[in-house]
Amino acid sequence: MKIKDMKQAVELFINEWDLGEKESGASRKLCAWIYLMEILEETEQFVYYRENGKMLGFAGYSNENSRKHLIKKKFYHFIKNQLYKSKEIKDLNALKEYEDNYYYVPEELKNYFDGEISMLILDKNCRGKGIGKKLLLEVFELAKKDKMKNLQILTDESCSYGIYEKLGCKKIYETIVKNKEYGKLGNVLTERAFIYEKKL
């Protein structure tokens, strides 16, 4: 991902999620950069949606068994760890707890998938036009060409998870997590979280 795209990805994140801002005491922008480094570290390939040269959405997938892009992935991991050292972060443990809250894969599914949809995000003004569906279909096709058989999708009720069902993904797990995205679902303390499977 080019630097220009990275900056636009961070803007998308800032407009969509808190990303541990309140827990960590850090700015949402810093939290968004940390999250982006995590996504870049794990993602095999991205597809993008652009208008007038501006990136307004993207999707990607990870491949558990990939040996490609290792140097790049190590670089993003290094940058993420450097960002964790920022003096702006008042409570690093709380930030990491926020991150762990949204990784709720049960033990029996930890080695089940070939990979995962690592990201799907679209500018709010572009939604409802079939763009998210198009991005996902492109990602599924890339993963299939990468000899992957099944993809994991982690999502929750604060997201538009119905898109996955429309594209033939099957819900195979449901749990309850703490609602860390303040205001997304009102003042509720918990939310439902799901794992979907896409067979390729």
PDB file of all heavy atoms in Angstrom, residues 10-45:
ATOM      1  N   VAL A  10      -6.220   5.560   6.965  1.00  0.00           N
ATOM      2  CA  VAL A  10      -6.310   6.063   8.341  1.00  0.00           C
ATOM      3  C   VAL A  10      -7.520   6.979   8.492  1.00  0.00           C
ATOM      4  O   VAL A  10      -8.242   6.909   9.491  1.00  0.00           O
ATOM      5  CB  VAL A  10      -4.998   6.776   8.746  1.00  0.00           C
ATOM      6  CG1 VAL A  10      -5.184   7.629   9.991  1.00  0.00           C
ATOM      7  CG2 VAL A  10      -3.899   5.740   8.990  1.00  0.00           C
ATOM      8  N   GLU A  11      -7.779   7.824   7.508  1.00  0.00           N
ATOM      9  CA  GLU A  11      -8.973   8.690   7.532  1.00  0.00           C
ATOM     10  C   GLU A  11     -10.251   7.861   7.609  1.00  0.00           C
ATOM     11  O   GLU A  11     -11.168   8.182   8.367  1.00  0.00           O
ATOM     12  CB  GLU A  11      -9.026   9.551   6.267  1.00  0.00           C
ATOM     13  CG  GLU A  11      -8.131  10.764   6.285  1.00  0.00           C
ATOM     14  CD  GLU A  11      -8.263  11.571   4.994  1.00  0.00           C
ATOM     15  OE1 GLU A  11      -9.404  11.747   4.516  1.00  0.00           O
ATOM     16  OE2 GLU A  11      -7.231  11.989   4.463  1.00  0.00           O
ATOM     17  N   LEU A  12     -10.300   6.799   6.794  1.00  0.00           N
ATOM     18  CA  LEU A  12     -11.481   5.917   6.818  1.00  0.00           C
ATOM     19  C   LEU A  12     -11.674   5.299   8.197  1.00  0.00           C
ATOM     20  O   LEU A  12     -12.794   5.244   8.719  1.00  0.00           O
ATOM     21  CB  LEU A  12     -11.336   4.812   5.767  1.00  0.00           C
ATOM     22  CG  LEU A  12     -11.455   5.222   4.302  1.00  0.00           C
ATOM     23  CD1 LEU A  12     -11.072   4.062   3.383  1.00  0.00           C
ATOM     24  CD2 LEU A  12     -12.872   5.692   3.984  1.00  0.00           C
ATOM     25  N   PHE A  13     -10.585   4.830   8.804  1.00  0.00           N
ATOM     26  CA  PHE A  13     -10.660   4.212  10.131  1.00  0.00           C
ATOM     27  C   PHE A  13     -11.153   5.223  11.174  1.00  0.00           C
ATOM     28  O   PHE A  13     -12.007   4.910  12.006  1.00  0.00           O
ATOM     29  CB  PHE A  13      -9.295   3.673  10.555  1.00  0.00           C
ATOM     30  CG  PHE A  13      -8.794   2.502   9.757  1.00  0.00           C
ATOM     31  CD1 PHE A  13      -7.454   2.151   9.794  1.00  0.00           C
ATOM     32  CD2 PHE A  13      -9.639   1.746   8.969  1.00  0.00           C
ATOM     33  CE1 PHE A  13      -6.963   1.072   9.070  1.00  0.00           C
ATOM     34  CE2 PHE A  13      -9.173   0.657   8.235  1.00  0.00           C
ATOM     35  CZ  PHE A  13      -7.828   0.326   8.292  1.00  0.00           C
ATOM     36  N   ILE A  14     -10.583   6.432  11.124  1.00  0.00           N
ATOM     37  CA  ILE A  14     -10.935   7.469  12.091  1.00  0.00           C
ATOM     38  C   ILE A  14     -12.428   7.784  12.036  1.00  0.00           C
ATOM     39  O   ILE A  14     -13.077   7.992  13.067  1.00  0.00           O
ATOM     40  CB  ILE A  14     -10.093   8.749  11.839  1.00  0.00           C
ATOM     41  CG1 ILE A  14      -8.644   8.524  12.291  1.00  0.00           C
ATOM     42  CG2 ILE A  14     -10.689   9.958  12.558  1.00  0.00           C
ATOM     43  CD1 ILE A  14      -7.685   9.629  11.876  1.00  0.00           C
ATOM     44  N   ASN A  15     -12.984   7.794  10.828  1.00  0.00           N
ATOM     45  CA  ASN A  15     -14.400   8.114  10.657  1.00  0.00           C
ATOM     46  C   ASN A  15     -15.326   6.952  11.001  1.00  0.00           C
ATOM     47  O   ASN A  15     -16.535   7.141  11.119  1.00  0.00           O
ATOM     48  CB  ASN A  15     -14.666   8.555   9.220  1.00  0.00           C
ATOM     49  CG  ASN A  15     -14.016   9.894   8.907  1.00  0.00           C
ATOM     50  OD1 ASN A  15     -13.871  10.736   9.796  1.00  0.00           O
ATOM     51  ND2 ASN A  15     -13.607  10.096   7.676  1.00  0.00           N
ATOM     52  N   GLU A  16     -14.747   5.758  11.170  1.00  0.00           N
ATOM     53  CA  GLU A  16     -15.569   4.567  11.380  1.00  0.00           C
ATOM     54  C   GLU A  16     -15.529   4.028  12.811  1.00  0.00           C
ATOM     55  O   GLU A  16     -16.550   3.606  13.346  1.00  0.00           O
ATOM     56  CB  GLU A  16     -15.114   3.467  10.413  1.00  0.00           C
ATOM     57  CG  GLU A  16     -16.003   2.250  10.373  1.00  0.00           C
ATOM     58  CD  GLU A  16     -17.370   2.521   9.766  1.00  0.00           C
ATOM     59  OE1 GLU A  16     -17.507   3.455   8.968  1.00  0.00           O
ATOM     60  OE2 GLU A  16     -18.324   1.785  10.103  1.00  0.00           O
ATOM     61  N   TRP A  17     -14.359   4.000  13.420  1.00  0.00           N
ATOM     62  CA  TRP A  17     -14.190   3.328  14.712  1.00  0.00           C
ATOM     63  C   TRP A  17     -13.416   4.182  15.713  1.00  0.00           C
ATOM     64  O   TRP A  17     -12.628   5.051  15.340  1.00  0.00           O
ATOM     65  CB  TRP A  17     -13.432   2.009  14.514  1.00  0.00           C
ATOM     66  CG  TRP A  17     -14.117   1.031  13.624  1.00  0.00           C
ATOM     67  CD1 TRP A  17     -15.364   0.500  13.773  1.00  0.00           C
ATOM     68  CD2 TRP A  17     -13.594   0.463  12.411  1.00  0.00           C
ATOM     69  NE1 TRP A  17     -15.646  -0.363  12.743  1.00  0.00           N
ATOM     70  CE2 TRP A  17     -14.585  -0.412  11.892  1.00  0.00           C
ATOM     71  CE3 TRP A  17     -12.387   0.593  11.725  1.00  0.00           C
ATOM     72  CZ2 TRP A  17     -14.409  -1.144  10.731  1.00  0.00           C
ATOM     73  CZ3 TRP A  17     -12.198  -0.130  10.554  1.00  0.00           C
ATOM     74  CH2 TRP A  17     -13.197  -0.977  10.061  1.00  0.00           C
ATOM     75  N   ASP A  18     -13.605   3.870  17.024  1.00  0.00           N
ATOM     76  CA  ASP A  18     -12.828   4.517  18.085  1.00  0.00           C
ATOM     77  C   ASP A  18     -11.414   3.957  18.164  1.00  0.00           C
ATOM     78  O   ASP A  18     -10.470   4.663  18.502  1.00  0.00           O
ATOM     79  CB  ASP A  18     -13.497   4.316  19.450  1.00  0.00           C
ATOM     80  CG  ASP A  18     -14.808   5.071  19.567  1.00  0.00           C
ATOM     81  OD1 ASP A  18     -15.029   5.997  18.762  1.00  0.00           O
ATOM     82  OD2 ASP A  18     -15.620   4.736  20.449  1.00  0.00           O
ATOM     83  N   LEU A  19     -11.292   2.638  17.917  1.00  0.00           N
ATOM     84  CA  LEU A  19      -9.995   1.955  17.852  1.00  0.00           C
ATOM     85  C   LEU A  19      -9.175   2.028  19.142  1.00  0.00           C
ATOM     86  O   LEU A  19      -7.956   2.006  19.121  1.00  0.00           O
ATOM     87  CB  LEU A  19      -9.166   2.513  16.679  1.00  0.00           C
ATOM     88  CG  LEU A  19      -9.789   2.257  15.303  1.00  0.00           C
ATOM     89  CD1 LEU A  19      -9.071   3.052  14.239  1.00  0.00           C
ATOM     90  CD2 LEU A  19      -9.761   0.780  14.975  1.00  0.00           C
ATOM     91  N   GLY A  20      -9.857   2.101  20.279  1.00  0.00           N
ATOM     92  CA  GLY A  20      -9.151   2.101  21.568  1.00  0.00           C
ATOM     93  C   GLY A  20      -8.730   3.475  22.024  1.00  0.00           C
ATOM     94  O   GLY A  20      -7.957   3.605  22.975  1.00  0.00           O
ATOM     95  N   GLU A  21      -9.254   4.510  21.397  1.00  0.00           N
ATOM     96  CA  GLU A  21      -8.900   5.891  21.754  1.00  0.00           C
ATOM     97  C   GLU A  21      -9.178   6.180  23.229  1.00  0.00           C
ATOM     98  O   GLU A  21      -8.310   6.689  23.941  1.00  0.00           O
ATOM     99  CB  GLU A  21      -9.707   6.843  20.856  1.00  0.00           C
ATOM    100  CG  GLU A  21      -9.604   8.307  21.216  1.00  0.00           C
ATOM    101  CD  GLU A  21     -10.606   9.161  20.442  1.00  0.00           C
ATOM    102  OE1 GLU A  21     -11.629   8.624  19.968  1.00  0.00           O
ATOM    103  OE2 GLU A  21     -10.359  10.368  20.334  1.00  0.00           O
ATOM    104  N   LYS A  22     -10.382   5.850  23.679  1.00  0.00           N
ATOM    105  CA  LYS A  22     -10.754   6.166  25.068  1.00  0.00           C
ATOM    106  C   LYS A  22      -9.976   5.307  26.062  1.00  0.00           C
ATOM    107  O   LYS A  22      -9.550   5.780  27.114  1.00  0.00           O
ATOM    108  CB  LYS A  22     -12.257   5.972  25.252  1.00  0.00           C
ATOM    109  CG  LYS A  22     -13.076   7.035  24.520  1.00  0.00           C
ATOM    110  CD  LYS A  22     -14.567   6.834  24.741  1.00  0.00           C
ATOM    111  CE  LYS A  22     -15.377   7.980  24.146  1.00  0.00           C
ATOM    112  NZ  LYS A  22     -15.249   8.089  22.687  1.00  0.00           N
ATOM    113  N   GLU A  23      -9.788   4.039  25.715  1.00  0.00           N
ATOM    114  CA  GLU A  23      -9.068   3.137  26.628  1.00  0.00           C
ATOM    115  C   GLU A  23      -7.606   3.544  26.800  1.00  0.00           C
ATOM    116  O   GLU A  23      -7.059   3.509  27.894  1.00  0.00           O
ATOM    117  CB  GLU A  23      -9.131   1.700  26.104  1.00  0.00           C
ATOM    118  CG  GLU A  23     -10.485   1.032  26.239  1.00  0.00           C
ATOM    119  CD  GLU A  23     -11.441   1.377  25.110  1.00  0.00           C
ATOM    120  OE1 GLU A  23     -11.093   2.212  24.246  1.00  0.00           O
ATOM    121  OE2 GLU A  23     -12.541   0.822  25.109  1.00  0.00           O
ATOM    122  N   SER A  24      -6.971   3.907  25.691  1.00  0.00           N
ATOM    123  CA  SER A  24      -5.525   4.160  25.717  1.00  0.00           C
ATOM    124  C   SER A  24      -5.163   5.578  26.131  1.00  0.00           C
ATOM    125  O   SER A  24      -4.044   5.838  26.574  1.00  0.00           O
ATOM    126  CB  SER A  24      -4.931   3.903  24.326  1.00  0.00           C
ATOM    127  OG  SER A  24      -5.403   4.878  23.405  1.00  0.00           O
ATOM    128  N   GLY A  25      -6.113   6.515  25.958  1.00  0.00           N
ATOM    129  CA  GLY A  25      -5.805   7.917  26.225  1.00  0.00           C
ATOM    130  C   GLY A  25      -5.058   8.574  25.082  1.00  0.00           C
ATOM    131  O   GLY A  25      -4.665   9.740  25.175  1.00  0.00           O
ATOM    132  N   ALA A  26      -4.846   7.834  23.994  1.00  0.00           N
ATOM    133  CA  ALA A  26      -4.126   8.362  22.828  1.00  0.00           C
ATOM    134  C   ALA A  26      -5.124   8.927  21.828  1.00  0.00           C
ATOM    135  O   ALA A  26      -6.329   8.700  21.931  1.00  0.00           O
ATOM    136  CB  ALA A  26      -3.300   7.257  22.176  1.00  0.00           C
ATOM    137  N   SER A  27      -4.619   9.652  20.831  1.00  0.00           N
ATOM    138  CA  SER A  27      -5.498  10.194  19.797  1.00  0.00           C
ATOM    139  C   SER A  27      -6.027   9.052  18.933  1.00  0.00           C
ATOM    140  O   SER A  27      -5.381   8.017  18.777  1.00  0.00           O
ATOM    141  CB  SER A  27      -4.738  11.188  18.917  1.00  0.00           C
ATOM    142  OG  SER A  27      -3.786  10.505  18.124  1.00  0.00           O
ATOM    143  N   ARG A  28      -7.192   9.276  18.347  1.00  0.00           N
ATOM    144  CA  ARG A  28      -7.760   8.278  17.453  1.00  0.00           C
ATOM    145  C   ARG A  28      -6.837   8.070  16.246  1.00  0.00           C
ATOM    146  O   ARG A  28      -6.747   6.976  15.702  1.00  0.00           O
ATOM    147  CB  ARG A  28      -9.160   8.688  16.999  1.00  0.00           C
ATOM    148  CG  ARG A  28      -9.893   7.567  16.281  1.00  0.00           C
ATOM    149  CD  ARG A  28     -11.307   7.926  15.914  1.00  0.00           C
ATOM    150  NE  ARG A  28     -12.120   8.206  17.083  1.00  0.00           N
ATOM    151  CZ  ARG A  28     -13.439   8.308  17.054  1.00  0.00           C
ATOM    152  NH1 ARG A  28     -14.090   8.169  15.918  1.00  0.00           N
ATOM    153  NH2 ARG A  28     -14.118   8.571  18.147  1.00  0.00           N
ATOM    154  N   LYS A  29      -6.164   9.142  15.837  1.00  0.00           N
ATOM    155  CA  LYS A  29      -5.268   9.046  14.677  1.00  0.00           C
ATOM    156  C   LYS A  29      -4.129   8.065  14.942  1.00  0.00           C
ATOM    157  O   LYS A  29      -3.805   7.226  14.093  1.00  0.00           O
ATOM    158  CB  LYS A  29      -4.713  10.423  14.328  1.00  0.00           C
ATOM    159  CG  LYS A  29      -3.911  10.447  13.048  1.00  0.00           C
ATOM    160  CD  LYS A  29      -3.556  11.871  12.651  1.00  0.00           C
ATOM    161  CE  LYS A  29      -2.891  11.890  11.290  1.00  0.00           C
ATOM    162  NZ  LYS A  29      -2.560  13.277  10.863  1.00  0.00           N
ATOM    163  N   LEU A  30      -3.517   8.158  16.119  1.00  0.00           N
ATOM    164  CA  LEU A  30      -2.439   7.224  16.454  1.00  0.00           C
ATOM    165  C   LEU A  30      -2.974   5.791  16.517  1.00  0.00           C
ATOM    166  O   LEU A  30      -2.353   4.863  15.985  1.00  0.00           O
ATOM    167  CB  LEU A  30      -1.787   7.601  17.785  1.00  0.00           C
ATOM    168  CG  LEU A  30      -0.706   6.631  18.280  1.00  0.00           C
ATOM    169  CD1 LEU A  30       0.453   6.532  17.280  1.00  0.00           C
ATOM    170  CD2 LEU A  30      -0.197   7.043  19.655  1.00  0.00           C
ATOM    171  N   CYS A  31      -4.133   5.614  17.141  1.00  0.00           N
ATOM    172  CA  CYS A  31      -4.743   4.275  17.227  1.00  0.00           C
ATOM    173  C   CYS A  31      -5.020   3.732  15.828  1.00  0.00           C
ATOM    174  O   CYS A  31      -4.845   2.536  15.567  1.00  0.00           O
ATOM    175  CB  CYS A  31      -6.025   4.331  18.038  1.00  0.00           C
ATOM    176  SG  CYS A  31      -5.783   4.755  19.783  1.00  0.00           S
ATOM    177  N   ALA A  32      -5.439   4.619  14.909  1.00  0.00           N
ATOM    178  CA  ALA A  32      -5.726   4.200  13.541  1.00  0.00           C
ATOM    179  C   ALA A  32      -4.462   3.774  12.812  1.00  0.00           C
ATOM    180  O   ALA A  32      -4.463   2.807  12.047  1.00  0.00           O
ATOM    181  CB  ALA A  32      -6.414   5.336  12.784  1.00  0.00           C
ATOM    182  N   TRP A  33      -3.362   4.480  13.049  1.00  0.00           N
ATOM    183  CA  TRP A  33      -2.084   4.086  12.426  1.00  0.00           C
ATOM    184  C   TRP A  33      -1.614   2.721  12.946  1.00  0.00           C
ATOM    185  O   TRP A  33      -1.114   1.894  12.188  1.00  0.00           O
ATOM    186  CB  TRP A  33      -1.010   5.144  12.655  1.00  0.00           C
ATOM    187  CG  TRP A  33      -1.054   6.249  11.646  1.00  0.00           C
ATOM    188  CD1 TRP A  33      -1.504   7.522  11.817  1.00  0.00           C
ATOM    189  CD2 TRP A  33      -0.636   6.165  10.271  1.00  0.00           C
ATOM    190  NE1 TRP A  33      -1.402   8.229  10.636  1.00  0.00           N
ATOM    191  CE2 TRP A  33      -0.871   7.429   9.682  1.00  0.00           C
ATOM    192  CE3 TRP A  33      -0.098   5.147   9.482  1.00  0.00           C
ATOM    193  CZ2 TRP A  33      -0.577   7.697   8.337  1.00  0.00           C
ATOM    194  CZ3 TRP A  33       0.187   5.414   8.144  1.00  0.00           C
ATOM    195  CH2 TRP A  33      -0.048   6.665   7.585  1.00  0.00           C
ATOM    196  N   ILE A  34      -1.785   2.486  14.243  1.00  0.00           N
ATOM    197  CA  ILE A  34      -1.416   1.193  14.821  1.00  0.00           C
ATOM    198  C   ILE A  34      -2.255   0.086  14.184  1.00  0.00           C
ATOM    199  O   ILE A  34      -1.730  -0.964  13.777  1.00  0.00           O
ATOM    200  CB  ILE A  34      -1.596   1.202  16.354  1.00  0.00           C
ATOM    201  CG1 ILE A  34      -0.530   2.104  17.001  1.00  0.00           C
ATOM    202  CG2 ILE A  34      -1.515  -0.221  16.929  1.00  0.00           C
ATOM    203  CD1 ILE A  34      -0.751   2.365  18.480  1.00  0.00           C
ATOM    204  N   TYR A  35      -3.550   0.341  14.054  1.00  0.00           N
ATOM    205  CA  TYR A  35      -4.446  -0.655  13.460  1.00  0.00           C
ATOM    206  C   TYR A  35      -4.074  -0.920  12.005  1.00  0.00           C
ATOM    207  O   TYR A  35      -4.053  -2.070  11.557  1.00  0.00           O
ATOM    208  CB  TYR A  35      -5.886  -0.162  13.578  1.00  0.00           C
ATOM    209  CG  TYR A  35      -6.915  -1.135  13.072  1.00  0.00           C
ATOM    210  CD1 TYR A  35      -6.939  -2.462  13.507  1.00  0.00           C
ATOM    211  CD2 TYR A  35      -7.888  -0.736  12.161  1.00  0.00           C
ATOM    212  CE1 TYR A  35      -7.889  -3.354  13.046  1.00  0.00           C
ATOM    213  CE2 TYR A  35      -8.843  -1.625  11.695  1.00  0.00           C
ATOM    214  CZ  TYR A  35      -8.836  -2.924  12.139  1.00  0.00           C
ATOM    215  OH  TYR A  35      -9.777  -3.810  11.682  1.00  0.00           O
ATOM    216  N   LEU A  36      -3.734   0.138  11.283  1.00  0.00           N
ATOM    217  CA  LEU A  36      -3.347  -0.039   9.880  1.00  0.00           C
ATOM    218  C   LEU A  36      -2.096  -0.901   9.769  1.00  0.00           C
ATOM    219  O   LEU A  36      -2.007  -1.772   8.892  1.00  0.00           O
ATOM    220  CB  LEU A  36      -3.117   1.315   9.209  1.00  0.00           C
ATOM    221  CG  LEU A  36      -2.672   1.232   7.742  1.00  0.00           C
ATOM    222  CD1 LEU A  36      -3.715   0.541   6.869  1.00  0.00           C
ATOM    223  CD2 LEU A  36      -2.346   2.616   7.201  1.00  0.00           C
ATOM    224  N   MET A  37      -1.111  -0.669  10.635  1.00  0.00           N
ATOM    225  CA  MET A  37       0.112  -1.480  10.584  1.00  0.00           C
ATOM    226  C   MET A  37      -0.208  -2.956  10.828  1.00  0.00           C
ATOM    227  O   MET A  37       0.378  -3.843  10.204  1.00  0.00           O
ATOM    228  CB  MET A  37       1.138  -0.986  11.614  1.00  0.00           C
ATOM    229  CG  MET A  37       1.739   0.370  11.314  1.00  0.00           C
ATOM    230  SD  MET A  37       2.536   0.478   9.686  1.00  0.00           S
ATOM    231  CE  MET A  37       1.448   1.635   8.858  1.00  0.00           C
ATOM    232  N   GLU A  38      -1.155  -3.204  11.720  1.00  0.00           N
ATOM    233  CA  GLU A  38      -1.571  -4.593  11.988  1.00  0.00           C
ATOM    234  C   GLU A  38      -2.206  -5.211  10.742  1.00  0.00           C
ATOM    235  O   GLU A  38      -1.915  -6.360  10.392  1.00  0.00           O
ATOM    236  CB  GLU A  38      -2.564  -4.597  13.152  1.00  0.00           C
ATOM    237  CG  GLU A  38      -2.950  -5.976  13.614  1.00  0.00           C
ATOM    238  CD  GLU A  38      -3.847  -5.929  14.838  1.00  0.00           C
ATOM    239  OE1 GLU A  38      -3.575  -5.121  15.750  1.00  0.00           O
ATOM    240  OE2 GLU A  38      -4.819  -6.685  14.860  1.00  0.00           O
ATOM    241  N   ILE A  39      -3.057  -4.447  10.069  1.00  0.00           N
ATOM    242  CA  ILE A  39      -3.708  -4.936   8.852  1.00  0.00           C
ATOM    243  C   ILE A  39      -2.664  -5.185   7.757  1.00  0.00           C
ATOM    244  O   ILE A  39      -2.688  -6.214   7.071  1.00  0.00           O
ATOM    245  CB  ILE A  39      -4.776  -3.929   8.355  1.00  0.00           C
ATOM    246  CG1 ILE A  39      -5.885  -3.751   9.390  1.00  0.00           C
ATOM    247  CG2 ILE A  39      -5.346  -4.360   7.001  1.00  0.00           C
ATOM    248  CD1 ILE A  39      -6.627  -5.015   9.752  1.00  0.00           C
ATOM    249  N   LEU A  40      -1.742  -4.257   7.590  1.00  0.00           N
ATOM    250  CA  LEU A  40      -0.695  -4.403   6.571  1.00  0.00           C
ATOM    251  C   LEU A  40       0.197  -5.603   6.874  1.00  0.00           C
ATOM    252  O   LEU A  40       0.655  -6.297   5.967  1.00  0.00           O
ATOM    253  CB  LEU A  40       0.144  -3.125   6.482  1.00  0.00           C
ATOM    254  CG  LEU A  40      -0.567  -1.901   5.915  1.00  0.00           C
ATOM    255  CD1 LEU A  40       0.289  -0.655   6.101  1.00  0.00           C
ATOM    256  CD2 LEU A  40      -0.906  -2.090   4.450  1.00  0.00           C
ATOM    257  N   GLU A  41       0.437  -5.834   8.148  1.00  0.00           N
ATOM    258  CA  GLU A  41       1.297  -6.949   8.563  1.00  0.00           C
ATOM    259  C   GLU A  41       0.687  -8.299   8.189  1.00  0.00           C
ATOM    260  O   GLU A  41       1.394  -9.225   7.812  1.00  0.00           O
ATOM    261  CB  GLU A  41       1.506  -6.873  10.086  1.00  0.00           C
ATOM    262  CG  GLU A  41       2.367  -7.969  10.658  1.00  0.00           C
ATOM    263  CD  GLU A  41       2.371  -7.966  12.174  1.00  0.00           C
ATOM    264  OE1 GLU A  41       1.982  -6.952  12.795  1.00  0.00           O
ATOM    265  OE2 GLU A  41       2.777  -8.994  12.744  1.00  0.00           O
ATOM    266  N   GLU A  42      -0.634  -8.399   8.264  1.00  0.00           N
ATOM    267  CA  GLU A  42      -1.257  -9.721   8.059  1.00  0.00           C
ATOM    268  C   GLU A  42      -1.856  -9.927   6.675  1.00  0.00           C
ATOM    269  O   GLU A  42      -2.200 -11.054   6.310  1.00  0.00           O
ATOM    270  CB  GLU A  42      -2.325  -9.959   9.123  1.00  0.00           C
ATOM    271  CG  GLU A  42      -3.542  -9.078   8.997  1.00  0.00           C
ATOM    272  CD  GLU A  42      -4.555  -9.305  10.114  1.00  0.00           C
ATOM    273  OE1 GLU A  42      -4.151  -9.621  11.240  1.00  0.00           O
ATOM    274  OE2 GLU A  42      -5.750  -9.164   9.838  1.00  0.00           O
ATOM    275  N   THR A  43      -1.988  -8.863   5.875  1.00  0.00           N
ATOM    276  CA  THR A  43      -2.726  -8.979   4.618  1.00  0.00           C
ATOM    277  C   THR A  43      -1.848  -9.416   3.458  1.00  0.00           C
ATOM    278  O   THR A  43      -0.753  -8.905   3.258  1.00  0.00           O
ATOM    279  CB  THR A  43      -3.426  -7.655   4.277  1.00  0.00           C
ATOM    280  OG1 THR A  43      -4.335  -7.340   5.341  1.00  0.00           O
ATOM    281  CG2 THR A  43      -4.210  -7.758   2.980  1.00  0.00           C
ATOM    282  N   GLU A  44      -2.381 -10.352   2.688  1.00  0.00           N
ATOM    283  CA  GLU A  44      -1.689 -10.887   1.524  1.00  0.00           C
ATOM    284  C   GLU A  44      -1.854  -9.976   0.302  1.00  0.00           C
ATOM    285  O   GLU A  44      -0.897  -9.635  -0.371  1.00  0.00           O
ATOM    286  CB  GLU A  44      -2.259 -12.274   1.214  1.00  0.00           C
ATOM    287  CG  GLU A  44      -1.400 -13.126   0.331  1.00  0.00           C
ATOM    288  CD  GLU A  44      -0.102 -13.561   0.989  1.00  0.00           C
ATOM    289  OE1 GLU A  44       0.079 -13.383   2.207  1.00  0.00           O
ATOM    290  OE2 GLU A  44       0.746 -14.064   0.264  1.00  0.00           O
ATOM    291  N   GLN A  45      -3.116  -9.604   0.020  1.00  0.00           N
ATOM    292  CA  GLN A  45      -3.411  -8.727  -1.116  1.00  0.00           C
ATOM    293  C   GLN A  45      -4.594  -7.833  -0.780  1.00  0.00           C
ATOM    294  O   GLN A  45      -5.485  -8.234  -0.032  1.00  0.00           O
ATOM    295  CB  GLN A  45      -3.760  -9.546  -2.365  1.00  0.00           C
ATOM    296  CG  GLN A  45      -2.606 -10.311  -2.958  1.00  0.00           C
ATOM    297  CD  GLN A  45      -2.964 -10.879  -4.322  1.00  0.00           C
ATOM    298  OE1 GLN A  45      -3.080 -10.147  -5.300  1.00  0.00           O
ATOM    299  NE2 GLN A  45      -3.148 -12.181  -4.386  1.00  0.00           N
TER     300      GLN A  45
END
